[in-house]
Short mmCIF file of all heavy atoms in Angstrom, two decimals:
data_model
loop_
_atom_site.label_atom_id
_atom_site.label_comp_id
_atom_site.label_asym_id
_atom_site.label_seq_id
_atom_site.Cartn_x
_atom_site.Cartn_y
_atom_site.Cartn_z
N ASN A 1 0.85 -1.19 0.00
CA ASN A 1 0.00 0.00 0.00
C ASN A 1 0.89 1.24 0.00
O ASN A 1 2.04 1.19 0.44
CB ASN A 1 -0.93 0.01 1.21
CG ASN A 1 -1.92 -1.14 1.18
OD1 ASN A 1 -2.34 -1.59 0.11
ND2 ASN A 1 -2.29 -1.64 2.35
N LEU A 2 0.34 2.35 -0.48
CA LEU A 2 1.15 3.54 -0.73
C LEU A 2 0.55 4.79 -0.11
O LEU A 2 -0.67 4.92 0.01
CB LEU A 2 1.29 3.77 -2.24
CG LEU A 2 1.82 2.62 -3.09
CD1 LEU A 2 1.72 2.99 -4.57
CD2 LEU A 2 3.27 2.30 -2.73
N VAL A 3 1.44 5.72 0.21
CA VAL A 3 1.06 7.11 0.49
C VAL A 3 1.89 7.97 -0.47
O VAL A 3 3.12 7.97 -0.40
CB VAL A 3 1.34 7.52 1.95
CG1 VAL A 3 0.92 8.97 2.17
CG2 VAL A 3 0.64 6.58 2.92
N LEU A 4 1.22 8.65 -1.37
CA LEU A 4 1.88 9.43 -2.41
C LEU A 4 1.85 10.91 -2.05
O LEU A 4 0.78 11.48 -1.79
CB LEU A 4 1.20 9.21 -3.76
CG LEU A 4 1.06 7.76 -4.21
CD1 LEU A 4 0.39 7.70 -5.58
CD2 LEU A 4 2.41 7.05 -4.22
N VAL A 5 3.02 11.54 -2.06
CA VAL A 5 3.17 12.94 -1.66
C VAL A 5 3.73 13.76 -2.82
O VAL A 5 4.75 13.38 -3.41
CB VAL A 5 4.10 13.08 -0.43
CG1 VAL A 5 4.24 14.54 -0.03
CG2 VAL A 5 3.58 12.23 0.72
N ALA A 6 3.08 14.85 -3.15
CA ALA A 6 3.59 15.80 -4.16
C ALA A 6 2.72 17.04 -4.12
O ALA A 6 1.70 17.09 -3.41
CB ALA A 6 3.61 15.17 -5.56
N ARG A 7 3.09 18.03 -4.93
CA ARG A 7 2.31 19.27 -4.99
C ARG A 7 1.08 19.16 -5.87
O ARG A 7 0.06 19.77 -5.61
CB ARG A 7 3.19 20.41 -5.49
CG ARG A 7 4.32 20.80 -4.55
CD ARG A 7 5.18 21.90 -5.16
NE ARG A 7 5.81 21.44 -6.41
CZ ARG A 7 6.52 22.23 -7.21
NH1 ARG A 7 6.67 23.50 -6.92
NH2 ARG A 7 7.08 21.74 -8.31
N ASP A 8 1.19 18.38 -6.95
CA ASP A 8 0.14 18.35 -7.98
C ASP A 8 -0.88 17.28 -7.64
O ASP A 8 -0.72 16.09 -7.96
CB ASP A 8 0.78 18.06 -9.35
CG ASP A 8 -0.17 18.26 -10.50
OD1 ASP A 8 -1.38 18.03 -10.32
OD2 ASP A 8 0.30 18.64 -11.59
N LYS A 9 -1.99 17.70 -7.02
CA LYS A 9 -2.98 16.73 -6.55
C LYS A 9 -3.68 16.02 -7.70
O LYS A 9 -4.00 14.83 -7.60
CB LYS A 9 -4.01 17.39 -5.64
CG LYS A 9 -4.94 16.38 -4.96
CD LYS A 9 -5.82 17.05 -3.93
CE LYS A 9 -6.63 16.01 -3.15
NZ LYS A 9 -7.52 15.22 -4.03
N SER A 10 -3.94 16.71 -8.80
CA SER A 10 -4.64 16.07 -9.90
C SER A 10 -3.82 14.92 -10.46
O SER A 10 -4.36 13.84 -10.78
CB SER A 10 -4.99 17.08 -10.98
OG SER A 10 -3.81 17.64 -11.53
N ARG A 11 -2.53 15.11 -10.58
CA ARG A 11 -1.67 14.04 -11.09
C ARG A 11 -1.55 12.91 -10.07
O ARG A 11 -1.52 11.73 -10.43
CB ARG A 11 -0.29 14.57 -11.46
CG ARG A 11 -0.33 15.53 -12.64
CD ARG A 11 1.03 16.09 -12.99
NE ARG A 11 1.87 15.11 -13.65
CZ ARG A 11 3.06 15.40 -14.17
NH1 ARG A 11 3.55 16.63 -14.09
NH2 ARG A 11 3.77 14.47 -14.77
N LEU A 12 -1.48 13.26 -8.78
CA LEU A 12 -1.45 12.23 -7.75
C LEU A 12 -2.73 11.40 -7.78
O LEU A 12 -2.68 10.16 -7.68
CB LEU A 12 -1.28 12.87 -6.37
CG LEU A 12 0.09 13.40 -5.99
CD1 LEU A 12 0.02 14.05 -4.61
CD2 LEU A 12 1.14 12.31 -6.00
N ASP A 13 -3.87 12.07 -7.90
CA ASP A 13 -5.15 11.36 -7.93
C ASP A 13 -5.22 10.41 -9.12
O ASP A 13 -5.69 9.27 -9.00
CB ASP A 13 -6.31 12.35 -7.99
CG ASP A 13 -6.55 13.06 -6.67
OD1 ASP A 13 -6.13 12.53 -5.61
OD2 ASP A 13 -7.16 14.15 -6.68
N ALA A 14 -4.74 10.87 -10.28
CA ALA A 14 -4.78 10.03 -11.48
C ALA A 14 -3.88 8.81 -11.31
O ALA A 14 -4.25 7.67 -11.66
CB ALA A 14 -4.36 10.84 -12.70
N LEU A 15 -2.67 9.02 -10.77
CA LEU A 15 -1.76 7.91 -10.54
C LEU A 15 -2.33 6.94 -9.51
O LEU A 15 -2.27 5.71 -9.70
CB LEU A 15 -0.40 8.44 -10.07
CG LEU A 15 0.66 7.38 -9.73
CD1 LEU A 15 0.96 6.49 -10.93
CD2 LEU A 15 1.93 8.04 -9.20
N ALA A 16 -2.90 7.49 -8.43
CA ALA A 16 -3.47 6.64 -7.39
C ALA A 16 -4.58 5.75 -7.95
O ALA A 16 -4.65 4.55 -7.66
CB ALA A 16 -3.99 7.50 -6.25
N ALA A 17 -5.45 6.34 -8.76
CA ALA A 17 -6.55 5.56 -9.36
C ALA A 17 -6.01 4.45 -10.25
O ALA A 17 -6.51 3.31 -10.22
CB ALA A 17 -7.47 6.49 -10.14
N GLN A 18 -5.00 4.76 -11.02
CA GLN A 18 -4.39 3.77 -11.91
C GLN A 18 -3.79 2.62 -11.12
O GLN A 18 -3.96 1.44 -11.48
CB GLN A 18 -3.32 4.45 -12.75
CG GLN A 18 -2.50 3.53 -13.62
CD GLN A 18 -1.31 4.26 -14.25
OE1 GLN A 18 -1.36 5.46 -14.48
NE2 GLN A 18 -0.24 3.52 -14.51
N LEU A 19 -3.07 2.95 -10.03
CA LEU A 19 -2.41 1.90 -9.25
C LEU A 19 -3.42 1.05 -8.48
O LEU A 19 -3.25 -0.17 -8.35
CB LEU A 19 -1.40 2.53 -8.29
CG LEU A 19 -0.23 3.25 -8.97
CD1 LEU A 19 0.65 3.92 -7.92
CD2 LEU A 19 0.59 2.30 -9.82
N ARG A 20 -4.48 1.68 -7.98
CA ARG A 20 -5.52 0.90 -7.30
C ARG A 20 -6.14 -0.12 -8.25
O ARG A 20 -6.38 -1.27 -7.90
CB ARG A 20 -6.61 1.83 -6.75
CG ARG A 20 -6.17 2.73 -5.61
CD ARG A 20 -7.35 3.54 -5.09
NE ARG A 20 -6.92 4.64 -4.25
CZ ARG A 20 -7.03 5.93 -4.58
NH1 ARG A 20 -7.58 6.27 -5.74
NH2 ARG A 20 -6.61 6.87 -3.75
N GLU A 21 -6.43 0.34 -9.46
CA GLU A 21 -7.07 -0.52 -10.44
C GLU A 21 -6.14 -1.65 -10.90
O GLU A 21 -6.53 -2.81 -10.99
CB GLU A 21 -7.50 0.30 -11.66
CG GLU A 21 -8.09 -0.51 -12.81
CD GLU A 21 -9.39 -1.19 -12.46
OE1 GLU A 21 -10.08 -0.74 -11.52
OE2 GLU A 21 -9.72 -2.19 -13.13
N ALA A 22 -4.87 -1.30 -11.16
CA ALA A 22 -3.95 -2.28 -11.74
C ALA A 22 -3.44 -3.29 -10.71
O ALA A 22 -3.21 -4.46 -11.05
CB ALA A 22 -2.77 -1.56 -12.38
N HIS A 23 -3.26 -2.86 -9.46
CA HIS A 23 -2.56 -3.71 -8.51
C HIS A 23 -3.37 -4.02 -7.25
O HIS A 23 -2.87 -4.73 -6.36
CB HIS A 23 -1.23 -3.07 -8.13
CG HIS A 23 -0.34 -2.82 -9.31
ND1 HIS A 23 0.24 -3.84 -10.03
CD2 HIS A 23 0.05 -1.65 -9.91
CE1 HIS A 23 0.96 -3.33 -11.02
NE2 HIS A 23 0.87 -2.02 -10.97
N LYS A 24 -4.57 -3.48 -7.14
CA LYS A 24 -5.48 -3.80 -6.02
C LYS A 24 -4.84 -3.48 -4.67
O LYS A 24 -4.95 -4.24 -3.71
CB LYS A 24 -5.90 -5.27 -6.07
CG LYS A 24 -6.39 -5.74 -7.43
CD LYS A 24 -7.53 -4.88 -7.96
CE LYS A 24 -7.97 -5.36 -9.35
NZ LYS A 24 -8.94 -4.43 -9.97
N VAL A 25 -4.16 -2.35 -4.60
CA VAL A 25 -3.58 -1.89 -3.34
C VAL A 25 -4.27 -0.60 -2.91
O VAL A 25 -4.90 0.09 -3.72
CB VAL A 25 -2.06 -1.65 -3.48
CG1 VAL A 25 -1.33 -2.96 -3.77
CG2 VAL A 25 -1.75 -0.61 -4.55
N ALA A 26 -4.14 -0.29 -1.62
CA ALA A 26 -4.66 0.98 -1.11
C ALA A 26 -3.64 2.09 -1.38
O ALA A 26 -2.45 1.90 -1.14
CB ALA A 26 -4.93 0.86 0.38
N VAL A 27 -4.12 3.21 -1.88
CA VAL A 27 -3.24 4.33 -2.19
C VAL A 27 -3.85 5.61 -1.63
O VAL A 27 -4.95 6.01 -2.03
CB VAL A 27 -3.02 4.49 -3.71
CG1 VAL A 27 -2.00 5.60 -3.97
CG2 VAL A 27 -2.57 3.18 -4.35
N ASP A 28 -3.15 6.23 -0.70
CA ASP A 28 -3.56 7.52 -0.15
C ASP A 28 -2.79 8.62 -0.85
O ASP A 28 -1.61 8.45 -1.19
CB ASP A 28 -3.30 7.59 1.35
CG ASP A 28 -4.19 6.67 2.15
OD1 ASP A 28 -5.19 6.17 1.58
OD2 ASP A 28 -3.87 6.41 3.32
N VAL A 29 -3.43 9.75 -1.03
CA VAL A 29 -2.81 10.92 -1.64
C VAL A 29 -2.67 12.01 -0.59
O VAL A 29 -3.63 12.32 0.13
CB VAL A 29 -3.66 11.42 -2.83
CG1 VAL A 29 -3.25 12.83 -3.24
CG2 VAL A 29 -3.54 10.46 -4.00
N LEU A 30 -1.47 12.57 -0.49
CA LEU A 30 -1.21 13.63 0.47
C LEU A 30 -0.55 14.78 -0.28
O LEU A 30 0.64 14.74 -0.60
CB LEU A 30 -0.30 13.11 1.59
CG LEU A 30 0.01 14.02 2.78
CD1 LEU A 30 -1.29 14.53 3.41
CD2 LEU A 30 0.84 13.29 3.81
N GLN A 31 -1.35 15.79 -0.60
CA GLN A 31 -0.82 16.94 -1.33
C GLN A 31 0.03 17.79 -0.39
O GLN A 31 -0.42 18.17 0.69
CB GLN A 31 -1.96 17.78 -1.90
CG GLN A 31 -1.49 18.97 -2.72
CD GLN A 31 -2.66 19.83 -3.20
OE1 GLN A 31 -3.74 19.81 -2.61
NE2 GLN A 31 -2.44 20.59 -4.26
N ALA A 32 1.25 18.10 -0.81
CA ALA A 32 2.13 18.91 0.05
C ALA A 32 3.25 19.50 -0.77
O ALA A 32 3.85 18.82 -1.61
CB ALA A 32 2.70 18.08 1.19
N ASP A 33 3.53 20.77 -0.51
CA ASP A 33 4.75 21.42 -0.99
C ASP A 33 5.73 21.37 0.17
O ASP A 33 5.55 22.07 1.17
CB ASP A 33 4.44 22.87 -1.40
CG ASP A 33 5.66 23.62 -1.90
OD1 ASP A 33 6.80 23.17 -1.64
OD2 ASP A 33 5.49 24.69 -2.52
N LEU A 34 6.76 20.56 0.05
CA LEU A 34 7.65 20.30 1.17
C LEU A 34 8.57 21.47 1.50
O LEU A 34 9.31 21.40 2.48
CB LEU A 34 8.47 19.03 0.90
CG LEU A 34 7.64 17.76 0.75
CD1 LEU A 34 8.54 16.57 0.43
CD2 LEU A 34 6.81 17.48 1.99
N THR A 35 8.53 22.52 0.70
CA THR A 35 9.28 23.73 1.05
C THR A 35 8.47 24.64 1.96
O THR A 35 9.00 25.64 2.46
CB THR A 35 9.70 24.52 -0.20
OG1 THR A 35 8.53 25.05 -0.85
CG2 THR A 35 10.48 23.65 -1.17
N GLN A 36 7.19 24.30 2.18
CA GLN A 36 6.31 25.10 3.03
C GLN A 36 6.21 24.44 4.41
O GLN A 36 5.78 23.29 4.51
CB GLN A 36 4.94 25.24 2.40
CG GLN A 36 4.95 25.91 1.04
CD GLN A 36 5.57 27.30 1.09
OE1 GLN A 36 5.20 28.13 1.94
NE2 GLN A 36 6.52 27.55 0.19
N PRO A 37 6.58 25.16 5.47
CA PRO A 37 6.66 24.53 6.80
C PRO A 37 5.40 23.81 7.25
O PRO A 37 5.48 22.70 7.80
CB PRO A 37 7.00 25.71 7.72
CG PRO A 37 7.73 26.67 6.83
CD PRO A 37 7.08 26.56 5.49
N ILE A 38 4.23 24.40 7.03
CA ILE A 38 3.00 23.79 7.50
C ILE A 38 2.73 22.48 6.75
O ILE A 38 2.33 21.46 7.35
CB ILE A 38 1.81 24.76 7.36
CG1 ILE A 38 1.98 25.94 8.32
CG2 ILE A 38 0.49 24.05 7.63
CD1 ILE A 38 0.91 27.01 8.17
N GLU A 39 2.97 22.48 5.46
CA GLU A 39 2.71 21.29 4.66
C GLU A 39 3.74 20.20 4.93
O GLU A 39 3.41 19.01 4.97
CB GLU A 39 2.66 21.67 3.18
CG GLU A 39 1.51 22.63 2.87
CD GLU A 39 1.45 23.07 1.43
OE1 GLU A 39 1.67 22.23 0.54
OE2 GLU A 39 1.17 24.26 1.20
#
């Protein structure tokens, strides 16, 4: 199972959907800009 982190949520969502469908794993998306302290 995966937790995917990046700034671009739309691309993360698309990748997560693809991986769930292809490999039957749980995939969480966590949108974050790691240069921003709160994120």
Side-chain angles (χ1 to χ4, degrees):
N1 295 329
L2 306 173
V3 180
L4 306 181
V5 180
R7 294 177 298 173
D8 191 328
K9 188 172 186 299
S10 62
R11 293 178 75 173
L12 285 177
D13 286 339
L15 177 60
Q18 174 189 332
L19 296 176
R20 292 184 195 112
E21 175 65 23
H23 302 292
K24 311 305 178 188
V25 296
V27 185
D28 292 345
V29 165
L30 186 54
Q31 182 184 23
D33 179 343
L34 298 178
T35 67
Q36 300 302 310
I38 293 175
E39 297 178 40

